Amino acid sequence: KRYAIAVPTSMGVRITPANRQPVHLSHEYYLQATSAETNVASVPAALGMPALVLTTFVEGSPIAQFIKNDLRSRGMDYRGKEVPQGGPWGYRHQFNIADSGYGLRGPRVHNDRAGEVGRTLNVEDFDLEQIFGQDGVEILHLSGLIAALSHETGIFCLELARAAKKYGTRISFDLNYRASFWKGREEELSAIFKEIAGLADILIGNEEDFQLSLGIQGPEAGGKGLASKIEGFKEMILRVKEEYPQVKLFATTLREVKNANEHLWGAILYEGGQFHVAGQLCIFCLLSLQFGTFVLQLCLLGKDRLESFDVVGTIAGGYSDESGVKFLCQRFQLMVDLCDGKFSASAGMYHHL
């Protein structure tokens, strides 16, 4: 198959002050092309695995060209419609203005999504037969952010999942619940999310995601005292498994914030009737690109330290965990093992990393 991973997404730019300064006091800012879903695809792309981004662009926009250049530099192919701006008050790419925080000043993100062109993503603008039937894709990664962005994007994600299932592409679904996206659309989105979950091979989410997206009882949301809630997380995952028995792998990330500089991180995987837990880890200034595969490696090797690590930035840490899942499934053909009820990649993971 031509592509190891395909991700539908709404591309935008992130503006971050230099040296972790507050947004309103800084004079120098770092501009990045970004989206949650391409954060996931970045790891396999960086490891030489072909990645495809399904998105949409504002026609003639310098920001759109900046995004295209960035995707190419990260080794990703892209396909997407060029949408006319429609005048100065028309479409644009979203802006994500991020204060990383420091010490007692917590991180803050201001999302400016007015006129977001990604909300126009439409299944009619893509040739699904070409993507899945002729080119071929190993894993389709879907995010609840895109599924809930608009009515059109919800249908788009659902049709992608149906097409992927038809052509034997594995489906990964990160529930990624956002209350502001769901407001007034609960019935519509619940039906879409449940159908996609019913087609998925990999389900990813935290306690809030599973409860509010799929209606499955779990631990109290909040991110405090996570070490004492591990059994509650396991019970929740087993309930999800009962509801969606076709899913081969369940993953949930654990994060507890001590302050803006120090977080407790961990992850839980469930496959083949076994849990693999990485306790919250002690890692100093670890780059997001490496973090996902490292956490999942520790799951496989049975590490369970309950410690902390210093953070350079908090944005997109969870997506790097997901990248690790995709990397494992691709590089070590985990899904083949999972079909046989095996989970045998730990030695290879340790060797290659």
Side-chain angles (χ1 to χ4, degrees), residues 190-255:
S190 178
I192 290 173
F193 275 56
K194 288 178 179 178
E195 182 170 347
I196 295 175
L199 297 170
D201 301 286
I202 302 169
L203 269 183
I204 302 166
N206 61 25
E207 70 277 26
E208 184 180 58
D209 295 328
F210 285 115
Q211 293 180 78
L212 298 179
S213 296
L214 302 181
I216 295 174
Q217 182 184 356
E220 180 182 357
K224 295 294 183 183
L226 290 178
S228 63
K229 298 180 181 179
I230 296 296
E231 293 306 314
F233 280 98
K234 291 180 178 180
E235 292 171 3
M236 175 188 69
I237 290 172
L238 291 177
R239 283 191 287 270
V240 180
K241 177 64 175 175
E242 288 181 4
E243 192 71 24
Y244 301 98
Q246 89 290 342
V247 175
K248 304 296 192 305
L249 190 151
F250 298 84
T252 187
T253 56
L254 310 173
R255 179 169 69 176

Side-chain angles (χ1 to χ4, degrees), residues 22-33:
V23 171
H24 65 290
L25 296 178
S26 185
H27 297 282
E28 295 181 352
Y29 302 85
Y30 185 59
L31 183 68
Q32 296 170 285

Side-chain angles (χ1 to χ4, degrees), residues 268-286:
I268 301 174
L269 297 182
Y270 179 77
E271 58 72 36
Q274 290 186 311
F275 282 100
H276 307 268
V277 180
Q280 291 135 321
L281 311 172
C282 181
I283 310 168
F284 296 94
C285 299
L286 189 64

Side-chain angles (χ1 to χ4, degrees), residues 6-323:
V7 294
T9 191
S10 172
M11 292 300 301
V13 291
R14 176 182 299 134
I15 302 172
T16 309
N19 302 315
R20 302 186 73 159
Q21 293 297 304
V23 171
H24 65 290
L25 296 178
S26 185
H27 297 282
E28 295 181 352
Y29 302 85
Y30 185 59
L31 183 68
Q32 296 170 285
T34 187
S35 75
E37 297 72 34
T38 53
N39 288 340
V40 174
S42 283
V43 169
L47 293 167
M49 303 168 72
L52 175 64
V53 177
L54 305 175
T55 189
T56 188
F57 301 99
V58 177
E59 185 178 29
S61 164
I63 295 297
Q65 189 60 53
F66 174 77
I67 291 169
K68 292 175 184 178
N69 293 348
D70 179 81
L71 291 175
R72 288 195 203 99
S73 74
R74 288 193 270 165
M76 298 188 212
D77 290 349
Y78 57 80
R79 299 180 194 179
K81 182 179 179 180
E82 300 277 343
V83 179
Q85 182 185 13
W89 291 277
Y91 290 118
R92 63 182 173 88
H93 291 275
Q94 60 164 307
F95 275 73
N96 179 289
I97 305 168
D99 177 351
S100 297
Y102 192 83
L104 296 178
R105 190 184 87 245
R108 294 184 61 187
V109 176
H110 178 75
N111 288 308
D112 186 350
R113 309 187 81 127
E116 181 176 356
V117 71
R119 299 186 76 238
T120 70
L121 275 167
N122 194 303
V123 67
E124 295 180 1
D125 297 328
F126 296 86
D127 186 343
L128 303 191
E129 165 67 27
Q130 176 69 45
I131 293 169
F132 295 103
Q134 298 180 35
D135 293 338
V137 177
E138 292 288 347
I139 291 182
L140 170 69
H141 177 67
L142 299 172
S143 164
L145 291 175
I146 303 303
L149 198 57
S150 69
H151 175 73
E152 289 76 13
T153 63
I155 299 301
F156 178 47
C157 288
L158 184 54
E159 291 300 328
L160 285 175
R162 289 169 176 169
K165 183 61 68 173
K166 175 182 176 181
Y167 288 105
T169 294
R170 299 164 190 132
I171 300 167
S172 165
F173 187 27
D174 171 20
L175 298 169
N176 222 332
Y177 174 86
R178 291 292 186 274
S180 58
F181 288 18
W182 279 62
K183 187 176 181 181
R185 302 172 61 210
E186 289 82 1
E187 184 175 351
E188 170 201 358
L189 292 177
S190 178
I192 290 173
F193 275 56
K194 288 178 179 178
E195 182 170 347
I196 295 175
L199 297 170
D201 301 286
I202 302 169
L203 269 183
I204 302 166
N206 61 25
E207 70 277 26
E208 184 180 58
D209 295 328
F210 285 115
Q211 293 180 78
L212 298 179
S213 296
L214 302 181
I216 295 174
Q217 182 184 356
E220 180 182 357
K224 295 294 183 183
L226 290 178
S228 63
K229 298 180 181 179
I230 296 296
E231 293 306 314
F233 280 98
K234 291 180 178 180
E235 292 171 3
M236 175 188 69
I237 290 172
L238 291 177
R239 283 191 287 270
V240 180
K241 177 64 175 175
E242 288 181 4
E243 192 71 24
Y244 301 98
Q246 89 290 342
V247 175
K248 304 296 192 305
L249 190 151
F250 298 84
T252 187
T253 56
L254 310 173
R255 179 169 69 176
E256 182 176 338
V257 178
K258 299 181 72 174
N259 56 58
N261 303 77
E262 189 176 7
H263 291 189
L264 300 174
W265 273 92
I268 301 174
L269 297 182
Y270 179 77
E271 58 72 36
Q274 290 186 311
F275 282 100
H276 307 268
V277 180
Q280 291 135 321
L281 311 172
C282 181
I283 310 168
F284 296 94
C285 299
L286 189 64
L287 296 178
S288 176
L289 178 67
Q290 301 166 319
F291 182 61
T293 47
F294 189 80
V295 168
L296 292 164
Q297 174 193 353
L298 292 177
C299 281
L300 295 170
L301 297 177
K303 304 297 184 182
D304 59 359
R305 292 173 294 168
L306 298 175
E307 301 179 43
S308 63
F309 72 96
D310 288 353
V311 295
V312 177
T314 63
I315 300 165
Y319 303 120
S320 63
D321 275 7
E322 297 168 29
S323 301

